[in-house]
């Protein structure tokens, strides 16, 4: 079959590879790209295997054995480490990563597979993977009604859609006017930067300055949820004053648990998250290197790789 393999930083090759082996084989219909893929392509990533390695982690397709349409989650928790036993599968110490969506077929263990609701197209279902992380991040927040979001990329906009569906007032801050326009289309307010102080703030960029902006936008007693991962080795400087005198709560949010994936699929199927807003062009495997190299300065869009093309 054909697959896109990473041979090293910025060295992606589409080639014939042996058929995947594993518990269940899924024929890939759509694999969406995200910022993490760009990071993996450019710098490598701790969850990638040794080069050459398969990647692509937002994958939807059809089980070859039963014909059922499924979302292939990108990880399965071990079930036995301390976080797993405490019900926090998303921070499992020994997860199995399931990468390789940028291929005609992918092998996955049964627990990674989630049925796709009827009527939800594969290219929308693939977005359930990042959306599940947004679902989890909202749970990490508080009940506050005045919410600020730093970053209007796909993650920031997914957070906005989920929070607006809960009748909250949401302001999305992003320097790109196209992304601010997308936020407004969702029903959010938009700004260059969060000028006011909010009772709940989400950071959805993954850069030290965005972490600082998020903390600086917090009202006394607010909760700040840090969703974007900074590159390893990064140092973040924060003003200790508000953290102490205003009892700000900084909470990390990472990844998702299996139940979050099912909630994400339901949110996509019911229209709570208007996935059309984030749907970018559909491309072939051969187009992928060019897509990953394209600077993402405009609207927040996810490319849809259809390996059957
Ligand atoms: Zn992703
Ligand atoms: Zn575990």
């Amino acid at each position: 079959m054909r697959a896109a393999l990473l041979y090293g930083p910025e060295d992606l090759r589409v080639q014939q590879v042996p058929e995947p082996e594993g518990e269940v084989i899924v024929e890939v219909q759509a694999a969406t790209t995200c910022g993490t893929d760009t990071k993996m392509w450019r710098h490598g990533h701790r969850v990638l295997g040794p080069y050459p390695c398969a990647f692509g982690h937002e994958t939807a397709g059809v089980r070859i054995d039963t014909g059922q349409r499924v979302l292939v989650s990108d990880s399965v928790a071990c079930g036995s480490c301390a976080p797993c036993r405490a019900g926090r599968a998303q921070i499992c110490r020994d997860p199995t990563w399931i990468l390789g969506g940028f291929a005609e077929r992918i092998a996955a263990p049964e627990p990674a597979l989630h049925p796709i609701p009827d009527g939800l197209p594969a290219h929308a279902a693939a977005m359930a993977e990042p959306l599940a992380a947004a679902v989890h991040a909202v749970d990490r927040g508080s009940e506050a009604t005045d919410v600020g979001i730093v970053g209007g990329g796909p993650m920031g906009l997914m957070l906005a859609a989920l929070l607006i569906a809960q009748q909250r007032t949401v302001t999305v801050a992003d320097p790109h006017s196209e992304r601010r326009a997308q936020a407004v289309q969702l029903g959010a307010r938009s700004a260059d930067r969060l000028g006011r102080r909010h009772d709940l703030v989400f950071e959805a960029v993954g850069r030290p300055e965005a972490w600082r902006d998020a903390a600086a936008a917090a009202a006394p007693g607010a909760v700040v949820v840090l969703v974007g991962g900074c590159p390893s080795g990064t140092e973040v400087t924060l003003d200790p004053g508000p953290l102490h005198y205003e009892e700000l709560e900084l909470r990390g949010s990472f990844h998702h648990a299996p139940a979050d994936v099912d909630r994400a699929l339901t949110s996509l199927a019911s229209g709570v998250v208007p996935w059309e807003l984030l749907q970018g062009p559909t491309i072939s495997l051969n187009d992928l290197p060019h897509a990953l190299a394209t600077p993402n300065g405009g609207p927040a869009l996810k490319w849809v790789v259809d390996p059957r093309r």
Side-chain angles (χ1 to χ4, degrees), residues 77-81 84 92-94:
C78 77
S80 56
C81 69
C84 278
C92 172
R93 298 298 80 199
D94 189 23

Side-chain angles (χ1 to χ4, degrees), residues 116-300:
I116 297 174
D118 286 344
L120 185 67
H123 55 265
M127 294 185 205
E129 195 285 317
L131 180 59
V135 166
H136 172 61
V138 170
D139 284 349
R140 293 284 289 153
S142 67
E143 300 291 307
T145 52
D146 182 353
V147 188
I149 299 175
V150 178
M155 181 54 65
L157 294 175
M158 285 180 174
L159 287 165
L162 293 170
L163 291 159
I164 287 165
Q166 297 177 354
Q167 319 302 329
R168 310 211 215 185
T169 304
V170 176
T171 306
V172 176
D174 196 288
H176 301 101
S177 58
E178 298 93 335
R179 295 177 180 205
R180 292 199 299 273
Q182 285 174 293
V184 169
Q185 250 182 288
L186 287 173
R189 301 173 183 179
S190 75
D192 259 357
R193 297 186 69 176
L194 291 181
R196 297 178 39 204
R197 291 165 64 87
H198 300 269
D199 298 318
L200 173 61
V201 183
F202 291 88
E203 185 282 339
V205 178
R207 281 211 291 264
E209 55 274 27
W211 281 40
R212 271 199 303 274
D213 283 356
V223 170
V224 179
V225 183
L226 303 163
V227 186
C230 293
S232 59
T234 309
E235 293 196 6
V236 182
T237 312
L238 294 171
D239 180 356
L243 292 181
H244 178 70
Y245 293 109
E246 300 176 12
E247 296 193 341
L248 299 190
E249 281 184 64
L250 267 50
R251 299 179 187 168
S253 182
F254 176 67
H255 205 47
H256 48 67
D260 300 320
V261 178
D262 290 323
R263 285 164 67 196
L265 284 163
T266 306
S267 300
L268 289 163
S270 66
V272 161
V273 175
W275 48 266
E276 296 91 341
L277 190 77
L278 296 172
Q279 186 188 344
T282 300
I283 60 174
S284 69
L285 283 172
N286 286 333
D287 298 328
L288 186 59
H290 174 73
L292 292 176
T294 304
N296 53 349

